[in-house]
Amino acid sequence: MEPIQPLALTMGDPAGIGGEITLAAWSRLRREGPAFVALDDPRRLSTLAARLGWEVPVAEVSGPEEAAAVFPERLPVMTVRLPIPSEPGRPDPANAPAVLGSIERAVALAQGGRVGGVVTNPISKATLYRTGFAFPGHTEFLGALTGTAEPPVMLLASPMLRVVPVTIHVSLRRALDTLTTAEIIRTGKALAAGLRHGFGIAAPRIAVAGLNPHAGEEGAMGDEEGTLVVPAIEALKAAGIDAFGPLPPDTMFTARARTTYDAALCLYHDQALIPIKTLDMDGGVNVTLGLPIVRTSPDHGTAFGIAGQGVADPGSLVAALRLAAEMAARRNREAVAA
């Protein structure tokens, strides 16, 4: 069931592959949906389509309400002008205000109920940092824009695996220093709620990863499992959540192991992202849990090295758009039922 409203798709870094995967996603989805409106510079999208030799007519629209009617024939775009022309593979901090403005407008549209959800194209955090951007990444910025009381949680989802890292965009050393039982519990509860309301899993099974090799080998290779992880699992169980572990990280992502859980709760960034990107780089979707709006994104970066060549695979963006539509429709059904 598709939501009534279209989705809002942000610009991403204009020097990356966001523009071409936006064009390619429209070509793939124009007949079947879900419909989306791009918050982008229509001149740069038209120029890019012409350079690549793609037939993607662009329609400037004043609001998302016009998008559904336009979408089958033209790519609807709400205009966000770039201060300077973008060059593929060469990010420029001068365009940072447009990149951030695209995200801010998309969030405002979602909060106002004018779009079903927000799908974000990849940004260059390093480029934004050079302009004073104060957030580690998209996830934290979206939390600030929506005024969430708790930090949002990053879920990576594909048909093969769902994973959530407890610590996200910090160094490995800092991740280990800041990992706490309380944060594992908070993230586990957010994951369980997200699986229930976002994915329709009534009683989600959550596998919790260990931190050390062989999940500590009963303390021989580290005691964090006993001091940090096990107490968190017990607290999650006491809250009625089917959580189990800690499991050895080197075996919990095998095909057989993945059949025993609905999502894996991992303890740091790469512990979660390496397995899902290895298994399904093109079908993986980044989902932000704990927001008052639906937000998804492709599970990849800006790919500056191939930008502007027309070879970028739009599969992850298409998957992100479809999942956002499904999640928005589920939220609509829950709201009607309530």
Side-chain angles (χ1 to χ4, degrees), residues 113-317:
R114 298 177 66 191
V115 296
V118 174
V119 181
T120 57
N121 264 311
I123 58 174
S124 169
K125 291 183 283 291
T127 304
L128 295 179
Y129 295 156
R130 291 164 60 188
T131 69
F133 184 63
F135 301 92
H138 254 133
T139 302
E140 298 82 359
F141 185 41
L142 291 165
L145 289 177
T146 55
T148 55
E150 295 283 347
V153 169
M154 182 174 73
L155 166 71
L156 283 298
S158 87
M160 302 180 72
L161 177 66
R162 301 183 190 95
V163 294
V164 163
V166 176
T167 61
I168 308 179
H169 297 120
V170 295
S171 70
L172 181 57
R173 184 179 299 280
R174 179 161 173 75
L176 300 180
D177 289 340
T178 58
L179 184 67
T180 64
T181 297
E183 192 61 12
I184 299 171
I185 296 169
R186 186 191 73 82
T187 307
K189 288 181 176 179
L191 172 56
L195 292 173
R196 286 194 298 268
H197 300 299
F199 292 83
I201 302 172
R205 303 164 299 164
I206 298 176
V208 184
L211 179 66
N212 298 299
H214 306 293
E217 200 71 68
E218 297 185 0
M221 299 182 184
D223 64 358
E224 287 85 359
E225 282 72 21
T227 60
L228 297 178
V229 185
V230 170
I233 294 172
E234 292 174 347
L236 291 171
K237 288 180 177 178
I241 296 170
D242 183 5
F244 60 93
L247 302 181
D250 61 343
T251 58
M252 68 181 290
F253 299 109
T254 64
R256 181 178 298 177
R258 296 197 308 273
T259 65
T260 66
Y261 56 83
D262 298 300
L265 182 60
C266 301
L267 303 182
Y268 56 94
H269 183 278
D270 284 6
Q271 189 182 61
L273 272 67
I274 287 174
I276 192 168
K277 289 189 175 183
T278 300
L279 288 168
D280 197 6
M281 184 68 183
D282 294 332
V285 177
N286 185 336
V287 181
T288 305
L289 305 179
L291 297 177
I293 62 172
V294 170
R295 182 264 177 161
T296 68
S297 75
D299 184 20
H300 59 69
T302 53
F304 290 131
I306 61 169
Q309 300 175 32
V311 299
D313 189 335
S316 186
L317 176 57

Side-chain angles (χ1 to χ4, degrees), residues 76-124:
V77 181
M78 289 181 65
T79 301
V80 178
R81 293 292 184 198
L82 290 174
I84 63 171
S86 61
E87 183 177 348
R90 296 183 178 275
D92 195 318
N95 282 325
V99 173
L100 297 177
S102 175
I103 300 169
E104 291 164 349
R105 287 184 68 185
V107 169
L109 290 171
Q111 289 184 303
R114 298 177 66 191
V115 296
V118 174
V119 181
T120 57
N121 264 311
I123 58 174
S124 169

